[in-house]
């Protein structure tokens, strides 16, 4: 009931039947409870959205820095690398720890470039004008943020080319460079394909078939005695890369829900600007359903070992949680902000389950 209705309700009660003292006390208690609940909702909305004139008091600088760092999002660097490396171990028993951690550092640096440059170019278009956790807004300098992004990319490329020199497999460097180019055309001028609603296909390609397969090929071996030992492209890595691409794309898709008004204002035609949140919630449900349907299909067709199916299926409750949460809160900007982080959890746990299943299959467990 609107607050005005609560205030006027006593005036609508007949004077012929005055309320009892007990009823008056109960009504007063109920009104007080409603006022407290309303205050809590308002505070939660302000904190989650970063809005309001008093936001500086609501969100500490530490909170803004945490949001700007987007640490959970770095799982998109970890999962393709881990799944690709596990597929190589499953295929040929190859794993190089030094190369793995070197590539992890390089991948984190490339994702840092992706995040920072995204803030720079969204600042240029005005998409992040009211986004207080934007790095450009926190630092107060577009130039500093852009330079930090470029340095991160340069250092990441150094790590990637070092891994290429170690592996000696040209397919690795071609695929990983193609993945980075997808990131460039996604957000950087003159392309900015994310503004045309093409971010999700680019995300799927970059983190799925391109990056996951690239990290698989990074485990090829080259030595003076035996020459190059190149890994064959297998149906297992293809199937794995498709699943990784789907979970990564789900993160990007759900990140649009709470940004529709801002995106529309600057002409950024994300999928949710075009189709709305209700249809978007249906797409999330179909995406999660497709993920587990393909998982079972790849298991039945022997593209993936049974161990992958068993372990990845354990994440089904989390997948259902994502679907239910989005269906319930798709039109509530205060709550839907968290949807992308629930997708990050699904992405990370599903990816680790997939990688663990590939390792266990190599050891003859749950084959």
């Amino acid at each position: 009931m609107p607050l005005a209705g609560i205030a006027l309700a006593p005036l609508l009660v007949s004077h012929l039947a005055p309320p009892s003292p007990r009823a008056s006390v109960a009504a007063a208690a109920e009104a007080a409870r409603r006022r407290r609940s309303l205050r809590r909702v308002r505070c939660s909305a302000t904190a989650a959205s970063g809005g309001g004139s008093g936001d500086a008091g609501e969100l500490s600088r530490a909170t803004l820095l945490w949001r700007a760092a987007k640490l959970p999002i770095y799982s998109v660097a970890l999962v393709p690398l881990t799944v690709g490396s596990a597929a190589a171990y499953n295929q040929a028993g190859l794993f190089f720890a030094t190369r793995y951690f070197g590539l992890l550092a390089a991948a984190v640096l490339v994702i840092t470039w992706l995040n920072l440059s995204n803030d720079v170019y969204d600042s240029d278009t005005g998409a992040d004008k009211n986004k207080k956790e934007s790095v450009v807004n926190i630092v107060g300098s577009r130039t500093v943020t852009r330079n930090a992004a470029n340095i991160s990319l340069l250092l990441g490329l150094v790590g990637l080319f070092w891994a290429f020199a170690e592996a000696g497999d040209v397919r690795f460097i071609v695929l990983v460079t193609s993945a980075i180019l997808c990131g460039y055309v996604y957000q950087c001028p003159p392309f900015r394909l994310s503004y045309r609603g093409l971010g999700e296909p680019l995300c799927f390609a970059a983190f799925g078939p391109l990056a996951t397969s690239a990290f698989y090929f990074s485990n090829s071996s080259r030595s003076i005695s035996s020459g190059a030992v190149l890994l064959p492209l297998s149906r297992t890595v293809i199937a794995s890369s498709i699943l990784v691409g789907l979970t990564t794309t789900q993160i990007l898709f759900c990140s649009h829900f709470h940004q529709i008004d801002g995106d529309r204002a600057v002409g950024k035609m994300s999928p949710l600007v075009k189709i709305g949140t209700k249809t978007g919630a249906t797409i999330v449900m179909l995406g999660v359903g497709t993920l587990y349907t393909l998982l079972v299909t790849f298991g039945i067709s022997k593209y993936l070992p049974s161990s992958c199916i068993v372990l990845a299926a354990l994440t089904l409750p989390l997948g259902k949680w994502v679907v239910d949460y989005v269906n319930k809160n798709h039109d509530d900007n205060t709550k839907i902000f968290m949807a992308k982080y629930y997708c990050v959890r699904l992405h990370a746990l599903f990816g680790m389950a997939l990688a663990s299943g590939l390792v266990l299959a190599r050891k003859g467990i749950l084959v």
Side-chain angles (χ1 to χ4, degrees):
M1 179 185 294
L3 291 180
I6 296 173
L8 293 173
L11 302 179
L12 304 178
V13 179
S14 171
H15 292 286
L16 297 177
S20 66
R22 180 176 298 178
S24 299
V25 171
E30 174 64 16
R33 185 188 66 79
R34 287 172 179 263
R35 286 194 296 271
R36 288 194 299 270
S37 298
L38 183 60
R39 282 195 298 269
R40 285 196 297 270
V41 169
R42 284 173 175 168
C43 290
S44 299
T46 303
S49 64
S53 60
D55 188 63
E58 297 288 348
L59 286 178
S60 66
R61 185 171 179 82
T63 300
L64 289 175
L65 289 173
W66 169 258
R67 289 189 178 183
K70 304 174 184 174
L71 293 182
I73 302 298
Y74 285 85
S75 65
V76 301
L78 176 65
V79 171
L81 172 61
T82 304
V83 172
S85 297
Y89 181 78
N90 175 268
Q91 176 71 33
L94 295 173
F95 177 73
F96 305 95
T98 302
R99 199 179 303 174
Y100 174 87
F101 288 107
L103 280 170
L104 179 59
V108 166
L109 287 166
V110 171
I111 298 301
T112 300
W113 161 75
L114 196 65
N115 287 334
L116 292 177
S117 58
N118 184 66
D119 280 0
V120 168
Y121 295 119
D122 276 351
S123 175
D124 291 345
T125 62
D128 282 356
K129 180 179 179 180
N130 298 315
K131 185 178 178 182
K132 291 179 172 58
E133 65 268 26
S134 165
V135 176
V136 174
N137 293 336
I138 292 174
V139 174
S141 173
R142 176 190 184 279
T143 302
V144 170
T145 307
R146 183 193 61 194
N147 290 342
N150 291 338
I151 291 171
S152 295
L153 178 60
L154 179 61
L155 293 175
L157 288 173
V158 169
L160 294 175
F161 275 93
W162 165 80
F164 167 57
E166 290 286 311
D169 193 333
V170 71
R171 293 171 297 177
F172 160 69
I173 201 63
V174 168
L175 288 172
V176 79
T177 302
S178 298
I180 293 172
L181 287 175
C182 284
Y184 185 88
V185 300
Y186 166 80
Q187 62 192 13
C188 299
F191 305 100
R192 287 191 174 127
L193 296 184
S194 62
Y195 280 68
R196 303 179 187 178
L198 298 176
E200 278 67 21
L202 287 169
C203 178
F204 173 81
F207 292 97
L210 293 176
T212 304
S213 299
F215 290 132
Y216 166 79
F217 290 127
S218 74
N219 286 276
S220 293
S221 176
R222 182 170 64 181
S223 64
I224 296 176
S225 58
S226 59
V229 179
L230 302 181
L231 290 168
L233 179 62
S234 68
R235 61 186 187 179
T236 297
V237 72
I238 293 173
S240 299
S241 69
I242 291 172
L243 298 177
V244 170
L246 285 174
T247 57
T248 311
T249 304
Q250 197 81 275
I251 298 172
L252 177 61
F253 186 81
C254 285
S255 72
H256 297 309
F257 275 98
H258 69 289
Q259 301 184 99
I260 291 177
D261 292 339
D263 287 346
R264 183 183 289 114
V266 298
K268 186 175 182 179
M269 301 304 293
S270 71
L272 286 168
V273 169
K274 297 178 180 179
I275 65 177
T277 62
K278 185 175 182 180
T279 304
T282 302
I283 297 297
V284 170
M285 179 182 66
L286 292 174
V288 172
T290 300
L291 175 69
Y292 290 100
T293 300
L294 284 177
L295 176 68
V296 173
T297 301
F298 289 149
I300 293 173
S301 62
K302 301 300 181 182
Y303 277 40
L304 292 174
S306 300
S307 51
C308 289
I309 314 307
V310 171
L311 293 179
L314 296 177
T315 66
L316 187 57
L318 182 54
K320 183 178 184 301
W321 166 258
V322 169
V323 171
D324 291 344
Y325 187 86
V326 173
N327 277 332
K328 182 179 180 181
N329 302 297
H330 64 85
D331 57 352
D332 185 342
N333 282 352
T334 302
K335 294 181 179 179
I336 201 62
F337 175 83
M338 290 300 299
K340 63 182 178 182
Y341 291 109
Y342 295 139
C343 289
V344 168
R345 295 179 190 179
L346 176 62
H347 171 67
L349 291 177
F350 191 96
M352 293 304 104
L354 201 59
S356 299
L358 291 168
V359 172
L360 290 177
R362 176 70 185 187
K363 294 181 177 296
I365 303 172
L366 292 175
V367 179

